Amino acid sequence: MQTNTMPAAASVLVTGGAGYIGSHTCVELLQAGYRVTVLDNYCNSSPEALARVERITGKTVQRVQADIRDGAALRDALRSSQAQAVIHFAGLKAVGESVAEPLHYYDNNVLGTVRLLQAMQDCGVEQIVFSSSATVYGDPVRLPYTEDHPFAPTNPYGQTKLDVENMLRAQSRAKPHWRIALLRYFNPVGAHPSGLIGEDPQGVPNNLMPFVAQVAVGRRQSLNVWGSDYDTPDGTGVRDYIHVVDLAQGHLRALDMLQRGTGGQCTAINLGTGQGCSVLDVVQAFEQASGRKVPYQIQPRRPGDLPAYWADPSTAQRLLGWQAQRSLHDMCADTWRWQSMNPQGYASPVTA
Ligand code: NAD
Ligand code: UDP
């Protein structure tokens, strides 16, 4: 069991806290005794997620429906919650959409973060955990990715993550009291073991695990496997899938590090398992965990996909005392519980 030393009544503002990773992090924060205020405009989430967070924890989430580009709303939320720290999830994350609508991505992700940092500065809040991504590394020049791997994002979404990281590095140089954690996530999957919260993508899922889950539950006929001719053990793409509860717990450890001042002023940390799994590994594990068949067809490669990458998670181990605990089987079993209890995501009635 990982412990946390921040005082029990510490208050955290969570932007984008109704989303997939944010809602799981809120559960862990509440269970660890934090007071939690979520600021979200629900552009890619449902307030129902927060009702379910409260149901899981038996605790209350303060909610502010607002956009992170609204400085006045941010200042109000920071002051009324007396937040000591911010966890910043709010942002747009669809790679294809970022190629089609780059300005929308720079506006939301970069300008939104400028507004957030200005509001924090105005209110004297100087600790932030930022949701970055392995996508900042781009084409691997060596594997596993270490935090000092060169940056080469290959799409506007990834570029916005790198731009925000650069902005946070500049802020930390200018304001030495600030404490900043840049958490670079690998491929978050899975769901809370209660089956009450999970990933609820709008429309056709772009990511592998939610697509597989929708095939298993009968919402879609079969999976397209994008490419089987990569230089990987079975020819399909390899990624470092990480259980969302492990990821959420990494955020608590990062907050703890900021509070103690043990991690430097602005520190990038990979959050992954260190293990690569292929598309067919995921299909097989999901069939085992769910007892359902997942029919699939091999298709040509998806444009822009990298063949394989995974994390070196040793910085997280060293600085946070954190390492992923949950297996690929756990990721699939928990995804399946969420999917089968909520075939239509948050639009489904609560069955437990
Ligand atoms: P998500 O879409 O489920 O959650 C994002 C939340 O932010 C949503 O609730 C959305 O309504 C909110 N939001 C978006 N723009 C906003 C704005 N302008 N103002 C207020 N709220 C806004 O996504 P997620 O998977 O939970 O990802 C959370 C963060 O982690 C994102 O920044 C994402 O880029 C990053 N990330 C995600 C992954 C992944 O694979 N899921 C990987 C790496 C990094
Ligand atoms: N993938 C696939 N079929 C799908 C979705 C994804 O074969 O319907 C593959 C994809 O080519 C990649 C892996 O699954 O090798 C993970 O893809 P995802 O979109 O989930 O994550 P990302 O590519 O952003 O790491």
Side-chain angles (χ1 to χ4, degrees):
M1 189 63 198
Q2 294 173 338
T3 55
N4 207 288
T5 57
M6 210 153 166
S11 168
V12 183
L13 181 73
V14 183
T15 73
Y20 173 45
I21 304 168
S23 56
H24 289 80
T25 303
C26 288
V27 167
E28 299 301 318
L29 287 167
L30 290 164
Q31 286 177 339
Y34 287 90
R35 287 187 289 127
V36 174
T37 301
V38 165
L39 185 143
D40 202 304
N41 65 2
Y42 305 116
C43 68
N44 195 38
S45 58
S46 159
E48 173 64 16
L50 296 176
R52 298 205 185 174
V53 166
E54 291 181 330
R55 195 184 145 121
I56 293 169
T57 60
K59 302 206 173 151
T60 306
V61 177
Q62 300 302 321
R63 299 154 166 85
V64 178
Q65 180 167 0
D67 194 293
I68 51 166
R69 290 161 294 184
D70 178 345
L74 283 167
R75 284 190 296 276
D76 274 359
L78 286 166
R79 288 195 180 117
S80 63
S81 65
Q82 298 181 305
Q84 286 109 319
V86 172
I87 306 183
H88 178 33
F89 294 106
L92 303 177
K93 62 169 183 177
V95 170
E97 189 185 45
S98 81
V99 175
E101 297 295 341
L103 300 183
H104 192 42
Y105 273 65
Y106 281 92
D107 187 32
N108 232 286
N109 295 3
V110 181
L111 187 62
T113 307
V114 174
R115 294 282 170 266
L116 172 63
L117 299 180
Q118 285 170 333
M120 288 174 64
Q121 193 159 280
D122 291 346
C123 299
V125 179
E126 299 180 335
Q127 295 180 15
I128 181 169
V129 177
F130 172 60
S131 297
S132 189
S133 168
T135 192
V136 296
Y137 298 125
D139 234 329
V141 297
R142 55 174 187 271
L143 283 171
Y145 285 137
T146 48
E147 286 84 359
D148 61 356
H149 185 283
F151 298 130
T154 53
N155 54 65
Y157 164 69
Q159 189 63 51
T160 66
K161 290 289 171 195
L162 182 54
D163 289 347
V164 170
E165 282 203 8
N166 285 335
M167 182 163 67
L168 286 165
R169 279 186 276 270
Q171 177 71 354
S172 110
R173 282 191 292 272
K175 312 282 170 185
H177 293 299
W178 280 57
R179 293 284 174 271
I180 300 169
L182 311 171
L183 301 184
R184 297 189 185 139
Y185 312 156
F186 281 68
N187 286 57
V189 296
H192 191 267
S194 63
L196 288 171
I197 57 172
E199 188 170 13
D200 185 16
Q202 316 291 305
V204 182
N206 198 42
N207 295 115
L208 178 64
M209 187 66 91
F211 202 106
V212 167
Q214 291 191 6
V215 173
V217 85
R219 251 175 94 173
R220 307 198 182 273
Q221 277 200 326
S222 79
L223 170 72
N224 291 314
V225 174
W226 305 124
S228 63
D229 57 351
Y230 288 112
D231 183 15
T232 60
D234 65 19
T236 66
V238 165
R239 296 288 183 276
D240 184 339
Y241 297 95
I242 173 168
H243 196 296
V244 66
V245 174
D246 280 330
L247 190 65
Q249 290 175 349
H251 290 72
L252 270 72
R253 307 293 284 188
L255 269 186
D256 195 29
M257 178 189 81
L258 299 186
Q259 179 75 5
R260 290 162 180 254
T262 51
Q265 287 169 233
C266 181
T267 307
I269 303 176
N270 287 337
L271 292 183
T273 65
Q275 302 289 322
C277 295
S278 74
V279 176
L280 296 182
D281 290 337
V282 172
V283 169
Q284 197 183 27
F286 205 94
E287 287 185 337
Q288 249 172 22
S290 65
R292 299 284 180 99
K293 275 313 274 180
V294 178
Y296 66 85
Q297 285 120 21
I298 304 291
Q299 301 286 3
R301 295 178 177 192
R302 184 169 67 175
D305 265 358
L306 293 171
Y309 61 83
W310 59 94
D312 176 339
S314 57
T315 303
Q317 169 76 60
R318 184 167 48 83
L319 291 181
L320 307 181
W322 172 96
Q323 65 182 36
Q325 307 285 328
R326 292 161 180 81
S327 66
L328 182 60
H329 178 86
D330 299 331
M331 300 177 210
C332 294
D334 290 335
T335 302
W336 176 240
R337 190 175 304 104
W338 153 252
Q339 183 68 62
S340 48
M341 282 170 61
N342 307 271
Q344 304 300 323
Y346 287 114
S348 313
V350 180
T351 56

